Amino acid sequence: MPYDPDSTAVVVVDMQNGFCHPDGSLYAPASEAAIDDVAALVDRAHDAGARVVYTRDVHPPEQFDDAHYYDEFERWGDHVLEGSWEARLVDELDVRPGDHVVEKHTYDAFHETELDGWLSARGIDDLLICGTLANVCVLHTAGSAGLRDYRPVLVADAIGYLEEDDHEYALAHADWLFGETTTRDAVDFLPTC
């Protein structure tokens, strides 16, 4: 079923140098491999007049200094630090002035960000979610979207991962519990009047 560009946004999760570039501290080859598919999906959305949202995982160096329980730096090491090359979106993406960029400080792009209000104000109902990592930020963002009554659709071949099993798990879990899955070639938009 074609998506209505007026009520659909493509959400590109964390396609940043730190995750997608071989020199990144959390580089995953499958994240780099997803760049072309993500870029093609973004181009299709732009051509159709749909909204495009980019999330950036960004951490102030002191973010976890007072953490009681969960410290991402202990889990992953220092990564995508505020103002760093790692925190920048990859150059291959066509970020346009009308696109929206959300800075987040954890896996979920809705947690303590303006994303929900921005989408609601524009009448967005359907989210085509791509980016990286499948079972971390993509899955947490999609689940949070579903809980907020958006329709999260994970675009399977435009999602990076650490291990193939992580990718398969994320897609199966989302499809079973709170969302849908599709492929980039199956994404079609209604023509605008």
Side-chain angles (χ1 to χ4, degrees):
M1 185 172 77
Y3 296 90
D4 182 347
D6 292 332
S7 59
T8 302
V10 170
V11 178
V12 180
V13 178
D14 299 355
M15 293 298 286
Q16 297 164 254
N17 291 325
F19 307 122
C20 302
H21 192 281
D23 293 333
S25 63
L26 293 179
Y27 170 67
S31 296
E32 181 182 23
I35 292 173
D36 289 344
D37 287 314
V38 170
L41 182 61
V42 166
D43 288 345
R44 189 177 296 168
H46 282 148
D47 291 347
R51 304 284 184 164
V52 177
V53 176
Y54 296 93
T55 73
R56 290 178 56 235
D57 193 38
V58 178
H59 298 293
E62 70 284 351
Q63 180 176 347
F64 302 105
D65 285 355
D66 297 324
H68 167 68
Y69 174 71
Y70 188 75
D71 181 341
E72 273 192 42
F73 291 166
E74 280 185 13
R75 173 69 176 94
W76 302 100
D78 291 3
H79 60 284
V80 290
L81 295 176
E82 198 171 52
S84 70
W85 167 83
E86 280 202 347
R88 292 192 341 229
L89 295 169
V90 296
D91 290 338
E92 293 87 345
L93 296 177
D94 180 19
V95 183
R96 297 184 181 180
D99 297 340
H100 188 60
V101 179
V102 175
E103 285 194 3
K104 63 187 187 62
H105 301 296
T106 190
Y107 307 138
D108 173 4
F110 288 91
H111 181 72
E112 296 182 359
T113 72
E114 80 289 356
L115 180 56
D116 189 25
W118 190 90
L119 294 168
S120 294
R122 286 153 184 80
I124 303 299
D125 295 316
D126 298 331
L127 304 181
L128 294 166
I129 300 175
C130 59
T132 201
L133 290 165
N135 64 324
V136 185
C137 294
V138 170
L139 187 61
H140 281 80
T141 295
S144 192
L147 293 174
R148 288 170 169 78
D149 203 33
Y150 295 99
R151 175 184 172 207
V153 181
L154 278 66
V155 184
D157 50 358
I159 296 175
Y161 51 87
L162 290 171
E163 303 289 339
E164 182 66 37
D165 288 349
D166 300 335
H167 187 248
E168 292 172 12
Y169 164 78
L171 296 174
H173 185 71
D175 197 43
W176 172 71
L177 187 59
F178 57 76
E180 301 172 25
T181 60
T182 190
T183 61
R184 185 174 58 83
D185 287 341
V187 172
D188 193 19
F189 290 98
L190 293 170
T192 56
C193 298

